[in-house]
Amino acid sequence: MLSQQAPETEFNPNQTPEPQPQPSPSSGRNLTPSPPKNPLQKSSRPSRKPKRPGRKLLAFDRRLGARFVAGTDEAGRGSLAGPLLVAGVLLDYESLRDHRVRPLALLNDSKQLTPAGREQLFRAVLGCCAKVSVRAVSAREIDANGLHRSNLAAMRAILWELSPPAEICLVDGFRLGPTAPEHRAVVDGDEKSAAIAAASVVAKVVRDRTMRRLAALYPHYGFSSHVGYITPGHSAVVRERGPSEIHRRSFEARCYAEQRAEARG
């Protein structure tokens, strides 16, 4: 039993402290101080199990009643520089069971994951999926055909690569038109469908890796940190040096207008 702490009293510096009574060996109390807790030691209190968002996403696809489900998504729509990366993933739900499906338990929309989590799930998706397809749409193609049209064209091409054997094709929010395979547009699909979420992870990881490699060719723009998106530092370099070959010139960015104004002035 732990002894109660004595109440605090005011300390008088001129007063000689009274000797404290020593405990008797036969008092039965164990006054040996307990060792400090090891911060690395696991607590005896049961830990809360981590959330498994992938289970909900996988259940959404399974309820469709098809064996082969394809999903497609893109990364880099809002980027000022670099390619648009479109990915498609085909999942075989007949073989995706037990140990083959466990790595997808933490699957989620790529925007909800940390960079390390995306890399881990990228490897898991490649190990679990029946087929994967990736297309990079260059900045030059985006400038020539428009971002949205380029994105839809890449998604159509990817779904044709997965169909057959895909029985159901899922797209994150977009209708791809009559020239695409039969498909379903799922609003916020990367938060609902495992196939779409897996495609979003593949697209994001491949695009980030691509931009970090391009940073070696264009070292002044800082692509390794912002991967082509608009940041104050990125805008400052564009104003100073102008856009590079991989910048999307058709975008109406303030840094473009300011750079042109400074060049004229």
Side-chain angles (χ1 to χ4, degrees):
M1 182 179 65
L2 297 177
S3 58
Q4 295 182 349
Q5 185 177 359
E8 295 182 357
T9 58
E10 185 177 356
F11 175 67
N12 184 352
N14 298 321
Q15 180 180 359
T16 303
E18 297 180 359
Q20 297 296 322
Q22 299 296 322
S24 169
S26 59
S27 62
R29 292 183 179 179
N30 183 6
L31 299 181
T32 303
S34 58
K37 293 183 178 180
N38 185 351
L40 299 180
Q41 186 178 3
K42 291 183 179 180
S43 172
S44 58
R45 189 177 301 174
S47 58
R48 183 180 299 177
K49 291 184 179 180
K51 293 182 179 179
R52 308 286 184 182
R55 294 179 178 177
K56 181 181 70 173
L57 275 63
L58 290 161
F60 177 92
D61 287 5
R62 290 187 189 278
R63 285 196 296 269
L64 299 174
R67 173 179 175 178
F68 291 103
V69 178
T72 183
D73 200 4
E74 85 288 323
R77 281 180 61 87
S79 178
L80 186 64
L84 175 73
L85 213 299
V86 184
V89 169
L90 180 68
L91 298 180
D92 177 0
Y93 278 96
E94 185 172 298
S95 63
L96 201 59
R97 300 181 183 278
D98 302 327
H99 68 282
R100 288 183 59 83
V101 76
R102 289 192 192 107
L104 300 182
L106 298 179
L107 182 63
N108 204 349
D109 170 18
S110 62
K111 297 185 292 295
Q112 306 296 327
L113 300 168
T114 64
R118 284 194 293 266
E119 288 284 345
Q120 180 180 351
L121 276 167
F122 176 77
R123 294 188 292 271
V125 169
L126 294 187
C128 295
C129 68
K131 191 175 182 180
V132 62
S133 178
V134 174
R135 284 185 174 242
V137 183
S138 69
R140 183 174 299 180
E141 185 177 346
I142 291 171
D143 290 340
N145 301 324
L147 174 67
H148 187 60
R149 289 179 61 187
S150 300
N151 185 27
L152 297 188
M155 287 184 166
R156 283 193 292 267
I158 279 179
L159 290 185
W160 278 120
E161 291 178 1
L162 303 179
S163 305
E167 302 167 62
I168 293 180
C169 296
L170 305 177
V171 184
D172 185 18
F174 296 119
R175 295 292 303 175
L176 305 182
T179 60
E182 185 177 351
H183 60 283
R184 303 184 187 185
V186 182
V187 178
D188 296 327
D190 46 10
E191 300 177 6
K192 298 176 181 177
S193 161
I196 297 177
S200 77
V201 169
V202 171
K204 176 62 174 171
V205 170
V206 172
R207 187 180 187 279
D208 285 358
R209 290 181 179 181
T210 300
M211 293 304 297
R212 293 189 181 103
R213 292 189 179 98
L214 289 172
L217 298 177
Y218 306 93
H220 305 288
Y221 293 92
F223 292 144
S224 59
S225 60
H226 55 66
V227 296
Y229 287 92
I230 298 177
T231 65
H234 187 188
S235 298
V237 177
V238 171
R239 284 194 299 268
E240 178 185 353
R241 306 181 67 91
S244 71
E245 294 176 353
I246 64 171
H247 276 83
R248 303 173 186 177
R249 310 295 182 95
S250 57
F251 278 29
E252 296 181 1
R254 180 183 299 177
C255 58
Y256 287 171
E258 293 172 347
Q259 190 270 335
R260 288 192 294 266
E262 291 178 4
R264 287 193 299 266

